[in-house]
Amino acid sequence: MIDFTAPDTQAAPVILVRTWPNQDWLQRWLVPNTTLILSEQALLDVVAKPELVEQLPVPPYALHAELKLLDIEELPATIIQLGTARWVEMTLEASSYIVWDETSDV
């Protein structure tokens, strides 16, 4: 008989936002174990105003490939850069994967 022990960690949701979220959206959708990926306009907004990161209850991520596409050379230190391989792993391991185009429509 093979004894199998289930891992202690639960899969976390991954949310990719394309526009900067408002406070109502943040309170409703970001639970403590959520992985938040900033993309497109949300990423450009936080580069222009790094203090926006302080509104987030979870650490934000950005895709390294997108930084190159958007020609972003300097990123606030609080944003974690993700390589493509790790992003694919997170996507496959996620309990859910949601892409939000317009976060003002909660």
Side-chain angles (χ1 to χ4, degrees), residues 28-53:
R28 183 172 185 182
W29 289 98
L30 291 187
V31 296
N33 66 340
T34 300
T35 299
L36 177 66
I37 301 173
L38 303 177
S39 183
E40 299 178 17
Q41 191 59 48
L43 186 54
L44 293 171
D45 288 348
V46 80
V47 168
K49 292 183 178 181
E51 64 274 9
L52 287 172
V53 173

